[in-house]
Amino acid sequence: MTVPILDGVTAKTIKSDRISTRVLFAGDESGIPVIFVHGNVSSATFWEQAMLDLPDGYYGIAPDQRGYGEADADKHIDATRGLADLSDDLIALMDTLEIEKSHFAAH
């Protein structure tokens, strides 16, 4: 299923060394990255308007986290690791996108 997105937002499937997932992007690619992290029972879609409202000079990035949206359906969360799967997935995404540091917005 393809989830519709707002004008000004692009969606790409990004494959890191941990997971393949849909990632939304908005803003200037050369801008300061802001990674938007959705909470439970949500997806990257939650952040679209906030990404579009970023000031000039920022680049919004919002991945579908493991278990949600269009993330790999066969990649489950290992509850014995707490939130480590999710944080490790974010680090792997940053590595894949060659992002050394970023601002984060989360709920």
Side-chain angles (χ1 to χ4, degrees):
M1 172 177 89
T2 301
V3 178
I5 55 176
L6 297 176
D7 288 340
V9 175
T10 59
K12 298 178 187 174
T13 299
I14 303 293
K15 183 173 176 62
S16 72
D17 64 352
R18 290 187 50 81
I19 192 168
S20 177
T21 192
R22 178 184 75 136
V23 181
L24 303 180
F25 299 91
D28 179 2
E29 287 186 44
S30 64
I32 298 166
V34 179
I35 298 177
F36 291 86
V37 183
H38 67 80
N40 285 335
V41 194
S42 187
S43 72
T45 300
F46 177 86
W47 293 109
E48 287 186 51
Q49 189 60 56
M51 293 169 63
L52 292 171
D53 290 340
L54 284 172
D56 291 341
Y58 288 88
Y59 186 44
I61 303 164
D64 282 339
Q65 293 201 87
R66 180 183 295 248
Y68 299 97
E70 294 182 34
D72 278 338
D74 63 335
K75 299 285 185 171
H76 303 286
I77 295 173
D78 178 356
T80 65
R81 298 187 70 225
L83 296 176
D85 278 331
L86 301 179
S87 61
D88 289 350
D89 291 348
L90 288 172
I91 292 167
L93 175 66
M94 290 177 69
D95 289 345
T96 300
L97 297 176
E98 298 180 352
I99 297 171
E100 291 184 27
K101 62 183 180 175
S102 175
H103 294 284
F104 285 86
H107 80 86

XYZ file of all heavy atoms in Angstrom:
814
model
N 0.836 -1.175 0.000
C 0.000 0.000 0.000
C 0.883 1.242 0.000
O 1.842 1.324 0.751
C -0.888 -0.019 1.244
C -1.668 1.250 1.435
S -2.771 1.209 2.848
C -1.695 1.790 4.133
N 0.564 2.192 -0.826
C 1.285 3.449 -0.845
C 0.453 4.499 -0.108
O -0.698 4.739 -0.443
C 1.558 3.906 -2.285
O 2.317 2.895 -2.938
C 2.308 5.209 -2.312
N 1.054 5.120 0.890
C 0.370 6.130 1.690
C 0.532 7.475 0.987
O 1.645 7.868 0.642
C 0.978 6.185 3.112
C 0.313 7.268 3.940
C 0.869 4.831 3.793
N -0.559 8.213 0.749
C -0.438 9.523 0.106
C 0.330 10.505 0.991
O 0.308 10.382 2.221
C -1.885 9.982 -0.086
C -2.724 9.088 0.731
C -1.936 7.873 1.089
N 1.016 11.447 0.362
C 1.796 12.449 1.100
C 1.413 13.848 0.643
O 0.878 14.030 -0.448
C 3.312 12.221 0.933
C 3.713 12.182 -0.532
C 3.765 10.961 1.655
C 5.198 12.067 -0.790
N 1.695 14.823 1.489
C 1.413 16.221 1.174
C 2.370 16.745 0.113
O 3.517 16.283 0.008
C 1.541 17.075 2.438
C 0.569 16.784 3.573
C 0.902 17.655 4.788
C -0.867 17.014 3.130
N 1.925 17.754 -0.657
C 2.811 18.424 -1.606
C 3.991 19.011 -0.847
O 3.815 19.606 0.220
C 2.073 19.546 -2.335
C 1.065 19.021 -3.344
O 1.180 17.853 -3.766
O 0.148 19.783 -3.710
N 5.183 18.825 -1.375
C 6.392 19.335 -0.743
C 7.126 18.288 0.073
O 8.234 18.518 0.536
N 6.496 17.133 0.251
C 7.114 16.013 0.963
C 7.414 14.931 -0.065
O 6.612 14.669 -0.958
C 6.176 15.454 2.058
C 6.772 14.215 2.716
C 5.862 16.516 3.100
N 8.579 14.320 0.045
C 8.904 13.184 -0.824
C 9.081 11.946 0.048
O 9.462 12.041 1.214
C 10.190 13.425 -1.644
O 11.276 13.660 -0.753
C 10.039 14.600 -2.575
N 8.785 10.802 -0.532
C 8.931 9.522 0.170
C 9.897 8.639 -0.604
O 9.812 8.545 -1.833
C 7.582 8.839 0.302
N 10.817 8.017 0.120
C 11.766 7.082 -0.483
C 11.862 5.863 0.426
O 11.736 5.987 1.646
C 13.158 7.702 -0.604
C 13.242 8.914 -1.482
C 14.645 9.473 -1.481
C 14.706 10.796 -2.232
N 16.030 11.418 -2.117
N 12.103 4.721 -0.163
C 12.410 3.542 0.627
C 13.916 3.527 0.826
O 14.684 3.554 -0.143
C 11.942 2.257 -0.070
O 10.525 2.330 -0.233
C 12.308 1.031 0.756
N 14.333 3.522 2.075
C 15.761 3.531 2.416
C 16.101 2.199 3.073
O 15.410 1.762 3.999
C 16.096 4.695 3.385
C 15.681 6.041 2.787
C 17.575 4.666 3.769
C 16.455 6.472 1.558
N 17.148 1.561 2.608
C 17.597 0.291 3.174
C 18.910 0.530 3.915
O 19.909 0.891 3.305
C 17.780 -0.744 2.076
C 18.174 -2.112 2.596
C 18.182 -3.130 1.479
C 18.647 -4.476 1.928
N 17.850 -5.136 2.925
N 18.874 0.349 5.218
C 20.095 0.438 6.029
C 20.575 -0.981 6.302
O 19.986 -1.948 5.808
C 19.808 1.163 7.356
O 19.052 0.329 8.214
N 21.607 -1.111 7.109
C 22.078 -2.460 7.436
C 21.175 -3.161 8.449
O 21.397 -4.312 8.785
C 23.531 -2.438 7.920
C 23.731 -1.678 9.212
O 22.789 -1.022 9.702
O 24.857 -1.734 9.747
N 20.123 -2.474 8.925
C 19.202 -3.066 9.902
C 17.789 -3.280 9.374
O 17.125 -4.228 9.750
C 19.131 -2.178 11.147
C 20.406 -2.183 11.963
C 20.228 -1.439 13.258
N 19.070 -1.827 14.032
C 18.992 -2.896 14.830
N 20.031 -3.695 14.953
N 17.885 -3.147 15.510
N 17.318 -2.341 8.530
C 15.911 -2.370 8.136
C 15.715 -1.577 6.849
O 16.458 -0.645 6.552
C 15.024 -1.801 9.277
C 13.549 -2.079 9.039
C 15.301 -0.333 9.503
C 12.677 -1.805 10.252
N 14.692 -1.960 6.112
C 14.260 -1.193 4.940
C 12.947 -0.529 5.326
O 12.033 -1.197 5.827
C 14.063 -2.134 3.750
O 13.589 -1.429 2.639
N 12.853 0.780 5.111
C 11.647 1.483 5.530
C 11.391 2.707 4.670
O 12.298 3.228 4.016
C 11.736 1.882 7.025
O 10.452 2.318 7.460
C 12.757 2.967 7.260
N 10.151 3.165 4.701
C 9.778 4.406 4.024
C 10.274 5.567 4.883
O 10.102 5.589 6.101
C 8.261 4.492 3.874
C 7.773 5.782 3.231
C 6.271 5.833 3.197
N 5.759 6.114 4.527
C 4.785 6.974 4.787
N 4.178 7.615 3.814
N 4.379 7.174 6.018
N 10.895 6.530 4.214
C 11.367 7.734 4.896
C 10.831 8.940 4.134
O 10.914 8.991 2.906
C 12.916 7.788 4.965
C 13.382 9.032 5.702
C 13.476 6.521 5.618
N 10.268 9.882 4.876
C 9.762 11.113 4.283
C 10.812 12.213 4.409
O 11.524 12.274 5.416
C 8.477 11.553 4.989
C 7.347 10.531 5.010
C 6.133 11.103 5.735
C 6.974 10.087 3.605
N 10.878 13.067 3.398
C 11.848 14.157 3.368
C 11.144 15.447 2.976
O 10.238 15.434 2.135
C 12.948 13.881 2.339
C 13.758 12.643 2.610
C 13.375 11.422 2.079
C 14.897 12.702 3.394
C 14.122 10.272 2.321
C 15.643 11.569 3.640
C 15.256 10.349 3.106
N 11.559 16.561 3.565
C 11.027 17.876 3.191
C 12.074 18.934 3.500
O 12.781 18.844 4.499
C 9.735 18.185 3.935
N 12.164 19.924 2.640
C 13.091 21.028 2.868
C 14.345 20.913 2.029
O 14.428 20.122 1.091
N 15.324 21.717 2.403
C 16.590 21.838 1.685
C 17.528 20.702 2.070
O 17.958 20.603 3.219
C 17.208 23.190 2.040
C 18.546 23.442 1.387
O 19.027 22.589 0.604
O 19.128 24.504 1.657
N 17.852 19.831 1.104
C 18.735 18.684 1.367
C 20.078 19.094 1.964
O 20.711 18.297 2.662
C 18.981 17.889 0.083
C 17.803 17.081 -0.357
C 18.116 16.202 -1.544
O 19.185 15.562 -1.566
O 17.275 16.164 -2.460
N 20.523 20.301 1.692
C 21.811 20.746 2.243
C 21.633 21.429 3.600
O 22.596 21.891 4.201
C 22.514 21.692 1.266
O 21.752 22.878 1.101
N 20.383 21.477 4.080
C 20.098 22.130 5.356
C 20.452 21.272 6.561
O 20.888 20.125 6.438
N 20.236 21.840 7.724
C 20.490 21.149 8.990
C 19.423 20.067 9.153
O 18.227 20.363 9.128
C 20.428 22.138 10.165
C 21.507 23.201 9.995
C 20.556 21.408 11.506
C 21.329 24.408 10.907
N 19.842 18.803 9.348
C 18.840 17.743 9.460
C 18.075 17.788 10.776
O 18.638 18.063 11.837
C 19.662 16.457 9.351
C 21.068 16.829 9.599
C 21.210 18.293 9.347
N 16.779 17.522 10.656
C 15.897 17.349 11.813
C 15.196 16.013 11.592
O 14.459 15.856 10.611
C 14.853 18.469 11.934
C 13.950 18.228 13.149
C 15.510 19.833 12.008
N 15.458 15.055 12.466
C 14.840 13.738 12.343
C 13.607 13.700 13.239
O 13.692 13.962 14.438
C 15.834 12.620 12.689
C 17.009 12.657 11.700
C 15.125 11.252 12.662
C 18.105 11.650 11.972
N 12.480 13.406 12.617
C 11.202 13.341 13.308
C 10.887 11.878 13.618
O 10.844 11.050 12.704
C 10.102 13.940 12.432
C 10.214 15.424 12.253
C 11.010 15.976 11.261
C 9.514 16.281 13.092
C 11.105 17.349 11.090
C 9.596 17.663 12.939
C 10.398 18.198 11.939
N 10.662 11.576 14.892
C 10.452 10.203 15.332
C 9.028 10.064 15.884
O 8.693 10.682 16.895
C 11.482 9.814 16.421
C 11.312 8.357 16.822
C 12.911 10.078 15.937
N 8.228 9.248 15.216
C 6.843 9.064 15.654
C 6.769 8.110 16.846
O 7.689 7.339 17.111
C 5.963 8.566 14.499
C 6.278 7.180 14.026
N 5.843 6.046 14.675
C 6.983 6.751 12.951
C 6.250 4.983 14.026
N 6.962 5.377 12.972
N 5.652 8.173 17.539
C 5.413 7.299 18.682
C 4.592 6.083 18.295
O 4.424 5.767 17.111
N 4.064 5.404 19.300
C 3.254 4.211 19.078
C 1.980 4.528 18.307
O 1.448 5.621 18.388
C 2.879 3.569 20.413
C 4.041 2.846 21.038
O 4.959 2.418 20.367
N 3.995 2.706 22.347
N 1.519 3.534 17.573
C 0.281 3.600 16.805
C 0.292 4.825 15.887
O -0.662 5.594 15.820
C -0.965 3.596 17.731
C -2.222 3.319 16.932
C -0.828 2.581 18.848
N 1.392 5.013 15.185
C 1.558 6.164 14.314
C 2.495 5.768 13.177
O 2.833 4.607 13.008
C 2.137 7.328 15.135
O 2.157 8.507 14.382
N 2.919 6.742 12.405
C 3.906 6.542 11.345
C 4.531 7.890 11.027
O 4.151 8.910 11.604
C 3.248 5.947 10.089
O 2.448 6.908 9.448
N 5.452 7.904 10.086
C 6.102 9.152 9.680
C 5.089 10.174 9.181
O 5.303 11.387 9.287
C 7.140 8.868 8.595
N 3.959 9.709 8.678
C 2.911 10.589 8.167
C 2.506 11.637 9.200
O 2.181 12.776 8.846
C 1.692 9.751 7.731
O 2.124 8.842 6.712
C 0.573 10.613 7.203
N 2.544 11.272 10.483
C 2.181 12.184 11.567
C 2.937 13.513 11.468
O 2.422 14.556 11.841
C 2.483 11.508 12.911
C 2.229 12.379 14.106
C 0.962 12.459 14.663
C 3.251 13.126 14.672
C 0.722 13.264 15.771
C 3.021 13.936 15.773
C 1.752 14.008 16.323
N 4.161 13.490 10.961
C 5.057 14.651 10.970
C 5.038 15.501 9.708
O 5.729 16.519 9.632
C 6.490 14.187 11.214
C 6.696 13.635 12.576
C 6.898 12.327 12.919
C 6.753 14.367 13.800
N 7.065 12.215 14.272
C 6.973 13.452 14.843
C 6.613 15.726 14.108
C 7.081 13.844 16.170
C 6.716 16.109 15.437
C 6.944 15.177 16.452
N 4.284 15.130 8.698
C 4.378 15.835 7.414
C 4.210 17.349 7.524
O 5.026 18.100 6.993
C 3.373 15.266 6.411
C 3.777 13.908 5.905
C 2.860 13.409 4.813
O 2.613 14.155 3.836
O 2.388 12.267 4.933
N 3.151 17.819 8.168
C 2.930 19.264 8.242
C 4.052 19.952 9.021
O 4.516 21.032 8.641
C 1.574 19.594 8.861
C 1.223 21.068 8.747
C 1.148 21.541 7.302
O 0.396 20.989 6.507
N 1.919 22.558 6.955
N 4.507 19.351 10.107
C 5.616 19.932 10.879
C 6.875 20.024 10.030
O 7.615 21.014 10.110
C 5.875 19.099 12.137
N 7.121 19.019 9.197
C 8.295 19.053 8.319
C 8.183 20.210 7.326
O 9.163 20.903 7.063
C 8.440 17.721 7.584
C 8.781 16.559 8.497
S 8.639 14.948 7.693
C 9.871 15.083 6.417
N 6.992 20.411 6.792
C 6.791 21.498 5.834
C 6.893 22.866 6.497
O 7.208 23.855 5.834
C 5.422 21.348 5.152
C 5.288 20.150 4.222
C 3.836 19.986 3.784
C 6.213 20.284 3.021
N 6.643 22.927 7.791
C 6.700 24.194 8.529
C 8.097 24.532 9.051
O 8.277 25.590 9.669
C 5.725 24.157 9.709
C 4.266 24.178 9.265
O 3.992 24.587 8.115
O 3.397 23.775 10.068
N 9.082 23.675 8.802
C 10.450 23.987 9.233
C 10.920 25.283 8.578
O 10.598 25.549 7.415
C 11.413 22.868 8.842
C 11.394 21.600 9.672
C 12.268 20.525 9.020
C 11.874 21.875 11.091
N 11.703 26.085 9.297
C 12.237 27.294 8.669
C 13.261 26.956 7.581
O 13.787 25.845 7.540
C 12.913 28.036 9.832
C 12.878 27.147 11.007
C 12.070 25.946 10.689
N 13.519 27.928 6.733
C 14.552 27.754 5.707
C 15.853 27.317 6.367
O 16.172 27.736 7.482
C 14.781 29.058 4.945
C 13.600 29.428 4.064
O 12.772 28.549 3.759
O 13.508 30.614 3.687
N 16.585 26.470 5.669
C 17.882 26.026 6.170
C 17.823 24.724 6.956
O 18.847 24.263 7.458
N 16.631 24.125 7.051
C 16.481 22.846 7.755
C 15.953 21.785 6.795
O 15.265 22.097 5.816
C 15.542 22.979 8.953
C 16.168 23.762 10.078
C 16.062 25.147 10.121
C 16.893 23.120 11.078
C 16.647 25.878 11.138
C 17.481 23.842 12.102
C 17.360 25.216 12.122
O 17.955 25.924 13.124
N 16.279 20.538 7.084
C 15.898 19.414 6.243
C 15.192 18.375 7.104
O 15.804 17.769 7.989
C 17.147 18.821 5.595
C 16.908 17.734 4.578
C 15.921 17.844 3.608
C 17.711 16.603 4.557
C 15.734 16.861 2.659
C 17.540 15.611 3.606
C 16.549 15.746 2.665
O 16.355 14.767 1.722
N 13.906 18.193 6.888
C 13.115 17.250 7.669
C 13.226 15.830 7.144
O 13.160 15.593 5.947
N 13.403 14.897 8.073
C 13.543 13.477 7.754
C 12.672 12.708 8.744
O 12.838 12.855 9.953
C 15.012 13.027 7.899
C 15.913 13.869 6.999
C 15.159 11.532 7.627
C 17.388 13.771 7.341
N 11.738 11.898 8.244
C 10.843 11.156 9.133
C 10.715 9.707 8.664
O 10.068 9.438 7.650
C 9.466 11.817 9.179
N 11.328 8.777 9.376
C 11.204 7.363 9.001
C 9.974 6.702 9.630
O 9.532 7.090 10.712
C 12.481 6.747 9.581
C 12.761 7.575 10.801
C 12.320 8.979 10.436
N 9.441 5.724 8.928
C 8.487 4.812 9.553
C 9.308 3.875 10.429
O 10.236 3.209 9.945
C 7.741 3.985 8.499
C 6.629 4.743 7.806
O 6.149 5.745 8.364
O 6.235 4.322 6.699
N 8.991 3.837 11.704
C 9.752 2.981 12.605
C 9.330 1.517 12.468
O 8.236 1.200 12.011
C 9.556 3.433 14.050
C 10.178 4.785 14.312
C 10.436 4.976 15.772
O 11.484 4.589 16.270
N 9.471 5.551 16.469
N 10.208 0.661 12.893
C 9.995 -0.782 12.915
C 8.615 -1.092 13.520
O 8.276 -0.606 14.590
C 11.104 -1.400 13.758
C 11.072 -2.884 13.909
C 12.198 -3.306 14.841
N 13.490 -3.021 14.245
C 14.359 -3.947 13.835
N 14.064 -5.225 13.979
N 15.506 -3.597 13.308
N 7.826 -1.869 12.777
C 6.512 -2.260 13.259
C 5.386 -1.326 12.839
O 4.225 -1.591 13.138
N 5.712 -0.245 12.126
C 4.701 0.756 11.761
C 4.866 1.191 10.311
O 5.948 1.077 9.721
C 4.811 1.986 12.665
C 4.583 1.659 14.111
C 5.658 1.431 14.962
C 3.302 1.552 14.623
C 5.458 1.114 16.298
C 3.087 1.234 15.949
C 4.168 1.014 16.785
O 3.966 0.695 18.091
N 3.784 1.749 9.756
C 3.840 2.315 8.410
C 4.327 1.300 7.393
O 3.867 0.162 7.361
N 5.290 1.723 6.592
C 5.820 0.871 5.531
C 7.216 0.351 5.855
O 8.029 0.134 4.959
C 5.796 1.625 4.197
C 4.384 1.911 3.720
C 4.325 2.609 2.379
O 5.188 2.348 1.508
O 3.417 3.431 2.193
N 7.481 0.116 7.141
C 8.749 -0.520 7.538
C 8.647 -2.012 7.231
O 7.548 -2.561 7.116
C 9.011 -0.295 9.026
N 9.808 -2.669 7.116
C 9.838 -4.115 6.882
C 8.866 -4.834 7.805
O 9.007 -4.776 9.026
C 11.241 -4.684 7.172
C 12.222 -4.527 6.043
O 11.772 -4.377 4.888
O 13.433 -4.579 6.303
N 7.898 -5.515 7.220
C 6.896 -6.221 8.025
C 7.490 -7.404 8.781
O 6.961 -7.818 9.803
C 5.758 -6.694 7.128
N 8.598 -7.931 8.287
C 9.196 -9.100 8.951
C 10.210 -8.726 10.034
O 10.786 -9.597 10.677
C 9.843 -10.028 7.922
C 10.988 -9.374 7.171
O 11.001 -8.132 7.072
O 11.872 -10.107 6.677
N 10.423 -7.434 10.259
C 11.346 -6.975 11.305
C 10.535 -6.600 12.536
O 9.851 -5.583 12.562
C 12.160 -5.768 10.833
C 13.031 -6.029 9.643
C 14.237 -6.838 10.041
C 15.145 -6.972 8.826
N 16.415 -7.552 9.150
N 10.609 -7.442 13.543
C 9.837 -7.231 14.764
C 10.710 -6.604 15.843
O 11.933 -6.685 15.798
C 9.257 -8.554 15.253
C 8.401 -9.217 14.226
N 7.138 -8.768 13.914
C 8.641 -10.264 13.395
C 6.628 -9.519 12.957
N 7.517 -10.429 12.614
N 10.068 -5.996 16.822
C 10.787 -5.420 17.958
C 11.080 -6.521 18.961
O 10.183 -7.286 19.326
C 9.955 -4.289 18.609
C 9.807 -3.125 17.620
C 10.591 -3.829 19.909
C 8.862 -2.041 18.086
N 12.322 -6.607 19.384
C 12.728 -7.553 20.429
C 12.480 -6.871 21.768
O 13.263 -6.018 22.198
C 14.200 -7.907 20.250
C 14.725 -8.843 21.319
O 13.976 -9.172 22.271
O 15.901 -9.242 21.212
N 11.399 -7.235 22.427
C 11.003 -6.578 23.675
C 12.041 -6.727 24.778
O 12.071 -5.919 25.710
C 9.658 -7.126 24.145
N 12.919 -7.705 24.679
C 13.953 -7.859 25.704
C 15.013 -6.772 25.607
O 15.801 -6.602 26.528
C 14.640 -9.244 25.611
O 15.359 -9.341 24.371
C 13.617 -10.373 25.721
N 14.997 -6.009 24.511
C 15.970 -4.938 24.311
C 15.383 -3.557 24.608
O 16.027 -2.548 24.351
C 16.492 -4.950 22.872
C 17.219 -6.225 22.504
C 17.871 -6.137 21.135
N 18.987 -5.214 21.219
C 19.248 -4.268 20.313
N 18.501 -4.116 19.253
N 20.280 -3.472 20.462
N 14.155 -3.503 25.112
C 13.527 -2.208 25.358
C 13.369 -1.458 24.051
O 12.849 -1.989 23.081
N 13.844 -0.225 24.006
C 13.755 0.593 22.789
C 15.018 0.527 21.932
O 15.158 1.281 20.969
C 13.470 2.045 23.171
C 12.129 2.288 23.858
C 11.992 3.737 24.279
C 10.976 1.871 22.970
N 15.920 -0.390 22.259
C 17.210 -0.451 21.559
C 17.062 -0.730 20.067
O 17.829 -0.194 19.265
C 18.126 -1.478 22.204
N 16.096 -1.561 19.674
C 15.909 -1.795 18.239
C 15.590 -0.491 17.517
O 16.124 -0.221 16.448
C 14.792 -2.802 17.974
C 15.247 -4.245 18.112
O 16.432 -4.525 17.870
O 14.408 -5.089 18.458
N 14.714 0.319 18.115
C 14.316 1.572 17.465
C 15.475 2.564 17.409
O 15.704 3.201 16.374
C 13.113 2.174 18.185
C 11.863 1.287 18.238
C 10.745 1.986 19.000
C 11.409 0.888 16.851
N 16.213 2.694 18.494
C 17.343 3.632 18.484
C 18.450 3.134 17.559
O 19.060 3.927 16.837
C 17.869 3.883 19.898
O 18.329 2.695 20.493
N 18.696 1.833 17.545
C 19.710 1.284 16.624
C 19.292 1.484 15.172
O 20.132 1.757 14.310
C 19.948 -0.196 16.907
C 20.685 -0.458 18.213
O 21.197 0.506 18.826
O 20.739 -1.636 18.631
N 17.987 1.357 14.895
C 17.497 1.612 13.529
C 17.739 3.065 13.123
O 18.119 3.342 11.984
C 16.002 1.311 13.420
C 15.661 -0.174 13.524
O 16.569 -1.019 13.448
O 14.457 -0.473 13.691
N 17.517 4.005 14.051
C 17.749 5.425 13.746
C 19.226 5.701 13.472
O 19.561 6.442 12.546
C 17.239 6.309 14.879
C 15.725 6.411 14.999
C 15.348 7.156 16.275
C 15.119 7.093 13.780
N 20.100 5.103 14.270
C 21.545 5.274 14.041
C 21.928 4.698 12.683
O 22.691 5.319 11.926
C 22.352 4.641 15.181
C 22.135 5.427 16.474
C 23.840 4.561 14.828
C 22.628 4.731 17.726
N 21.387 3.534 12.332
C 21.687 2.926 11.032
C 21.168 3.799 9.891
O 21.828 3.930 8.855
C 21.083 1.523 10.955
N 19.998 4.416 10.073
C 19.471 5.336 9.055
C 20.401 6.531 8.898
O 20.738 6.930 7.776
C 18.069 5.801 9.427
C 17.462 6.867 8.507
C 17.216 6.309 7.109
C 16.177 7.420 9.096
N 20.838 7.095 10.014
C 21.763 8.228 9.948
C 23.049 7.833 9.222
O 23.555 8.593 8.394
C 22.080 8.753 11.352
C 20.902 9.454 12.004
S 21.245 9.997 13.689
C 22.445 11.313 13.379
N 23.572 6.662 9.518
C 24.782 6.188 8.838
C 24.541 6.055 7.338
O 25.358 6.485 6.526
C 25.236 4.846 9.414
C 25.817 4.945 10.810
O 26.148 6.076 11.257
O 25.936 3.895 11.473
N 23.408 5.478 6.962
C 23.082 5.280 5.549
C 22.945 6.614 4.819
O 23.401 6.760 3.676
C 21.784 4.462 5.408
O 21.986 3.186 6.029
C 21.397 4.271 3.960
N 22.342 7.589 5.496
C 22.161 8.921 4.889
C 23.379 9.827 5.085
O 23.357 10.982 4.665
C 20.914 9.595 5.486
C 19.580 8.894 5.224
C 18.448 9.619 5.945
C 19.298 8.781 3.733
N 24.408 9.295 5.732
C 25.653 10.023 6.000
C 25.401 11.297 6.807
O 25.918 12.371 6.491
C 26.404 10.307 4.697
C 26.813 9.047 3.981
C 27.561 9.290 2.672
O 27.639 10.450 2.221
O 28.074 8.310 2.112
N 24.597 11.159 7.856
C 24.300 12.252 8.776
C 25.101 12.033 10.047
O 24.924 11.021 10.725
C 22.797 12.316 9.102
C 21.995 12.612 7.831
C 22.524 13.345 10.181
C 20.497 12.474 8.014
N 25.998 12.969 10.361
C 26.826 12.829 11.559
C 26.109 13.302 12.821
O 26.311 12.751 13.901
C 28.131 13.590 11.383
C 29.042 12.956 10.350
C 30.376 13.666 10.262
O 30.813 14.274 11.249
O 30.968 13.614 9.169
N 25.292 14.358 12.689
C 24.532 14.838 13.826
C 23.237 15.472 13.310
O 23.148 15.887 12.164
C 25.330 15.828 14.677
C 25.750 17.093 13.963
C 26.580 17.958 14.872
C 27.002 19.222 14.144
N 27.708 20.133 15.040
N 22.249 15.499 14.215
C 20.930 15.958 13.809
C 20.182 16.487 15.012
O 20.447 16.081 16.148
C 20.150 14.788 13.198
O 18.832 15.163 12.903
N 19.232 17.352 14.758
C 18.233 17.680 15.761
C 17.193 16.554 15.692
O 17.031 15.908 14.664
C 17.554 19.012 15.449
C 18.465 20.186 15.550
N 18.867 20.719 16.745
C 19.062 20.930 14.586
C 19.664 21.751 16.519
N 19.799 21.890 15.216
N 16.479 16.346 16.794
C 15.418 15.349 16.832
C 14.145 15.962 17.362
O 14.194 16.789 18.271
C 15.799 14.158 17.728
C 16.793 13.231 17.103
C 18.154 13.486 17.212
C 16.385 12.104 16.412
C 19.077 12.636 16.642
C 17.304 11.250 15.827
C 18.660 11.519 15.950
N 13.022 15.554 16.795
C 11.706 15.881 17.326
C 10.993 14.541 17.494
O 11.066 13.695 16.607
C 10.933 16.783 16.382
N 10.366 14.345 18.646
C 9.739 13.044 18.897
C 8.480 13.203 19.727
O 8.308 14.196 20.436
C 10.721 12.123 19.609
N 7.623 12.209 19.632
C 6.460 12.141 20.519
C 6.262 10.700 20.924
O 6.764 9.791 20.325
C 5.209 12.730 19.872
C 4.511 11.816 18.912
N 3.582 10.898 19.315
C 4.611 11.685 17.566
C 3.129 10.244 18.257
N 3.746 10.702 17.184
